[in-house]
Amino acid sequence: MKRVYLDHAAATPVRREVLEAMLPYFRERFGNPSAVYDLGSEIKDALEEQREKVARLIGAHRDEVVFTSSGAEANNLAVKGVALANLKKGNHVIVSAIEHHSVLNAARYLEKFHDFEVTFLPVDKYGLVDQERLRRSLSPATLLVSIQHGSNEVGTIQNIRELAAVCREQGVIFHTDAVATAGQVPVDVQDLGVDLLTLNGPALGAPKGVGALYFRQKLRLVPQIHGGIQENGRRGGTENVPAIVGLGKAADLAREELAARAKYLSWLRDLLAAGVQERVPGVVYTGHPAQRLPGLASFCVEGIEGEALLFMLSSQGIYANTGSACASKALKTSPVLGALGIPSELAQGSVVFTFNAENSEEDINYVLYHLPLAVGRLRSFSPVWRKRTAAAVGE
Amino acid sequence: MRFVTELKADATADLVYRVCPMHLLEPVDLIKDLKQGQVLEILTDYDGALEDIPAWCAKNGQEFLGVGEEEDEEYYKLYIRKLH
């Protein structure tokens, strides 16, 4: 059976070039970068080269990059590390209502254990945070604002430059989670004007288990992994050198291929979005119609359950997602879709397709053939849909 | 402990919240780039630095000028003059 994998936001294969770059670091170049002998110092040099490559991707200086084990850890270090390092400046943190759980729950941790006040900023029907609303939410006690660059669930890309500028005017530290956008759209920390930015390896074609946090020089962070002097004393634990080498290689590739990749992924996305809306009645294309991730198409299909649709699609070798990767297992309505004002009944029918450059037009056509069939079959069992269509006929 | 006031530093090593022994490692690197007679300021929240930095200066022939007198609850300011 044909396999069409369209869940790259959940997991993505390591790129061949990335794997090849990593391989020597498992056997020949296995040393500990903190060791003083040459087997270690060579690895330390390699580690610093990767830091340079990651910094180059985002327009940063290499001293402003900390490697972490994931995007989630980088988000934790940004939110908790900065908040705890600046307790004297204030105790108010603002995050958008559609952040990844690693930002939302890090903020809730501060609220619960450190007496912080947290504002969860609402978004509009496209998932955008309003600049004026952010301005009104700032108070003299506001220390940090965290708003994601792009949504892995509805694809919307925020106006980070404008939002960060509001914070800079008020001397408030600004963090953005760029896990979804890096490698798909330009991500430059100077251009965006952010103080902290999160990256994740897998989103760039590197393996799982590696991420990075950009932090503007002179910003203090309280380490969240307590240990030795790895990462210049900002994150304990021996560095995952092979994965970091993979991230460095993936960052180089992302920089070289960005324009072509964005163009190709947008083309695939638009083919799918147009095809689905044409062939499946009762479908809502979620997120912003234009200002969105090139590699993501998200829908809510009336009268069905997203989980059931995923099951039907997987029986045809099509792999997609409903809501975010972690939320889908909990069988809960996505809080992100709720924040966009999508009624919970419609949000139940959420399906998210995320592509990479290995996907083809043929993949999209395969989905466009099977998706309407699967939706039709599920709707034939759905009392909600039957009631709706009967009412429409009655009109 | 020697205390100093209003010292103008030529370079600063900000080691606040960074783990031991970063308070020794980074100043050693930074002092290499200073000229003779210039002053390095070390910011650290690590209590052990109050012993370690003067001891390192004595051992390496650099001048420990003292600890900033303005008390800050969060961190110390220590000053070293490069002698060679």
Side-chain angles (χ1 to χ4, degrees):
Chain A
M1 185 173 58
K2 185 175 169 65
R3 259 174 65 147
V4 175
Y5 184 80
L6 295 174
D7 195 14
H8 289 279
T12 198
V14 172
R15 287 186 59 162
R16 211 168 292 282
E17 307 92 311
V18 168
L19 179 63
E20 276 164 20
M22 289 169 62
L23 285 174
Y25 292 86
F26 285 103
R27 298 272 317 155
E28 299 92 26
R29 309 193 72 193
F30 61 89
N32 187 322
S34 297
V36 290
Y37 43 76
D38 57 0
L39 254 178
S41 58
E42 282 171 11
I43 307 302
K44 175 77 177 158
D45 292 346
L47 191 65
E48 295 314 309
E49 268 175 49
Q50 313 314 313
R51 208 182 300 282
E52 181 76 47
K53 291 176 187 174
V54 171
R56 212 179 300 144
L57 174 68
I58 55 171
H61 187 274
R62 67 164 186 229
D63 291 344
E64 299 174 313
V65 173
V66 182
F67 289 119
T68 62
S69 65
S70 60
E73 189 198 323
N75 279 340
N76 270 266
L77 181 57
V79 175
K80 297 192 292 188
V82 165
L84 297 178
N86 292 282
L87 289 171
K88 275 191 171 175
K89 291 185 188 161
N91 68 341
H92 179 222
V93 168
I94 300 174
V95 301
S96 91
I98 61 167
E99 293 303 306
H100 187 261
H101 282 100
S102 52
V103 167
L104 290 176
N105 287 338
R108 288 189 186 115
Y109 162 86
L110 292 171
E111 196 175 36
K112 187 168 179 182
F113 295 105
H114 294 279
D115 286 332
F116 268 74
E117 192 190 321
V118 180
T119 300
F120 297 91
L121 265 189
V123 292
D124 69 11
K125 64 176 177 176
Y126 300 125
L128 287 173
V129 173
D130 179 62
Q131 196 183 348
E132 284 315 307
R133 191 148 199 170
L134 171 62
R135 196 190 300 278
R136 286 200 304 273
S137 303
L138 295 173
S139 82
T142 311
L143 180 63
L144 174 76
V145 171
S146 178
I147 298 172
Q148 67 185 188
H149 192 195
S151 165
N152 254 339
E153 202 168 329
V154 294
T156 302
I157 296 177
Q158 302 289 340
N159 299 310
I160 290 298
R161 203 178 296 114
E162 288 73 15
L163 298 168
V166 168
C167 293
R168 199 167 48 248
E169 280 168 24
Q170 308 288 328
V172 173
I173 300 165
F174 189 92
H175 166 246
T176 191
D177 171 357
V179 167
T181 46
Q184 290 203 24
V185 298
V187 173
D188 182 296
V189 293
Q190 308 305 334
D191 176 51
L192 294 173
V194 298
D195 300 301
L196 299 126
L197 181 140
T198 292
L199 294 173
N200 191 24
L204 295 165
K208 298 171 193 70
V210 65
L213 178 69
Y214 156 78
F215 64 99
R216 196 176 288 286
Q217 261 169 10
K218 300 202 173 165
L219 207 56
R220 291 181 184 144
L221 302 167
V222 172
Q224 297 301 300
I225 305 281
H226 303 286
I229 56 163
Q230 293 87 1
E231 296 303 292
N232 285 318
R234 293 188 178 90
R235 195 259 183 196
T238 302
E239 294 89 345
N240 182 359
V241 177
I244 291 171
V245 169
L247 177 59
K249 180 67 184 175
D252 266 357
L253 292 169
R255 202 164 45 84
E256 290 158 15
E257 299 170 356
L258 180 67
R261 200 187 285 181
K263 195 173 164 191
Y264 181 66
L265 294 179
S266 303
W267 177 68
L268 290 180
R269 175 199 66 197
D270 294 345
L271 273 182
L272 182 66
V276 168
Q277 291 174 95
E278 190 187 304
R279 291 166 201 221
V280 183
V283 157
V284 175
Y285 188 34
T286 56
H288 197 283
Q291 192 172 315
R292 59 183 300 136
L293 289 174
L296 185 147
S298 51
F299 308 92
C300 282
V301 185
E302 278 182 55
I304 62 144
E305 292 267 349
E307 291 287 324
L309 181 60
L310 291 194
F311 182 74
M312 297 273 289
L313 291 176
S314 70
S315 72
Q316 297 301 324
I318 298 168
Y319 302 93
N321 212 320
T322 173
S324 68
C326 14
S328 67
K329 280 211 162 173
L331 288 175
K332 280 165 68 176
T333 306
S334 152
V336 172
L337 297 175
L340 267 68
I342 294 172
S344 63
E345 203 174 272
L346 179 58
Q348 295 289 336
S350 156
V351 58
V352 182
F353 300 96
T354 44
F355 325 108
N356 82 355
E358 287 174 30
N359 290 122
S360 64
E361 183 181 5
E362 196 191 333
D363 291 345
I364 302 299
N365 289 334
Y366 188 75
V367 176
L368 288 175
Y369 176 76
H370 286 285
L371 181 73
L373 295 176
V375 169
R377 192 160 160 73
L378 287 170
R379 280 176 173 167
S380 71
F381 309 134
S382 159
V384 179
W385 182 256
R386 279 209 296 264
K387 213 165 127 187
R388 183 189 175 285
T389 45
V393 170
E395 280 164 14
Chain B
M1 182 55 63
R2 205 179 314 160
F3 291 97
V4 289
T5 49
E6 288 181 26
L7 255 179
K8 197 185 165 301
D10 299 287
T12 299
D14 185 349
L15 287 319
V16 179
Y17 305 130
R18 293 164 65 190
V19 299
C20 165
M22 286 309 295
H23 67 288
L24 287 174
L25 297 175
E26 201 157 293
V28 169
D29 264 353
L30 284 176
I31 213 161
K32 283 181 199 154
D33 298 331
L34 292 183
K35 292 183 192 135
Q36 204 176 328
Q38 286 189 315
V39 174
L40 176 68
E41 177 184 50
I42 299 163
L43 311 182
T44 177
D45 58 325
Y46 177 59
D47 295 336
L50 298 175
E51 281 185 28
D52 293 351
I53 301 284
W56 180 85
C57 288
K59 192 177 165 194
N60 291 280
Q62 307 293 3
E63 184 184 358
F64 177 65
L65 297 172
V67 182
E69 205 169 37
E70 287 169 60
E71 279 213 14
D72 190 298
E73 289 167 32
E74 276 180 280
Y75 57 88
Y76 306 105
K77 294 178 179 178
L78 296 97
Y79 296 89
I80 300 174
R81 191 192 311 280
K82 179 168 175 163
L83 296 183
H84 61 91

